[in-house]
Amino acid sequence: MKNRFFSGMVVAILGLLIILVPVWIFPPCSEVIETAAGNMRMKCFWSGQAEIGIGFLILCGGALLIVFKSPLIRLGLSVMLSLIGVLGILIPTLLIGGCEMATMPCRMTTFPALIILNLLMGGFSAANALHLWRQNKKP
């Protein structure tokens, strides 16, 4: 019970932090670019929106880690959460990206915070998966 509650709470808190970073803690650039086709948002805004979705998935995964008692289900959830952490790292770095200038707020605060949080979450979930796998292999 201790491991189940502890691991679920850690993952849920990291998911909540990933949601709050682009919304409130370190918001990305919110400038709107006016073009002939209409108003467009910058790429870093959309990276932040995608990270909010990633954070919501992580938050739900943390709640499910607390709810389910089966070690095999929690093992599968932990593997899924570690892969979601990898996706959370890829969004600001490779998939969507952000501003080109290194002095913009998204490049200085938002993306480094998101990368660190996703690294922590992915590493913690991978360690939890390894722990549950070893625990399940015992006779």
Side-chain angles (χ1 to χ4, degrees), residues 20-22 32 42 49 55 63 83 90 101 111 136:
L20 291 178
V21 162
V32 177
M42 298 177 79
Q49 295 298 304
L83 293 174
L90 290 176
M101 251 195 312
F111 291 167
N136 193 41

Side-chain angles (χ1 to χ4, degrees), residues 44-78:
C44 53
F45 171 80
W46 297 113
S47 289
Q49 295 298 304
E51 288 288 345
I52 292 170
I54 296 283
F56 182 73
L57 283 175
I58 293 169
L59 181 64
C60 292
L64 290 174
L65 281 174
I66 295 171
V67 170
F68 286 112
K69 293 181 181 178
S70 169
L72 292 177
I73 293 175
R74 292 185 305 137
L75 171 66
L77 283 170
S78 295

Side-chain angles (χ1 to χ4, degrees), residues 23-136:
V23 173
W24 189 60
I25 299 174
F26 296 124
C29 312
S30 60
E31 298 175 21
V32 177
I33 302 169
E34 293 184 25
T35 63
N39 294 338
M40 293 176 50
R41 295 236 184 222
M42 298 177 79
K43 288 189 327 181
C44 53
F45 171 80
W46 297 113
S47 289
Q49 295 298 304
E51 288 288 345
I52 292 170
I54 296 283
F56 182 73
L57 283 175
I58 293 169
L59 181 64
C60 292
L64 290 174
L65 281 174
I66 295 171
V67 170
F68 286 112
K69 293 181 181 178
S70 169
L72 292 177
I73 293 175
R74 292 185 305 137
L75 171 66
L77 283 170
S78 295
V79 170
M80 178 205 63
L81 286 167
S82 63
L83 293 174
I84 289 175
V86 171
L87 179 63
I89 294 169
L90 290 176
I91 284 177
T93 55
L94 294 175
L95 296 177
I96 298 175
C99 298
E100 297 295 324
M101 251 195 312
T103 58
M104 296 300 280
C106 62
R107 299 281 299 260
M108 292 183 71
T109 56
T110 309
F111 291 167
L114 288 172
I115 289 169
I116 289 170
L117 287 172
N118 280 303
L119 272 172
L120 287 173
M121 201 284 309
F124 181 80
S125 294
N128 190 39
L130 183 65
H131 168 73
L132 289 168
W133 181 67
R134 284 184 179 164
Q135 185 181 18
N136 193 41

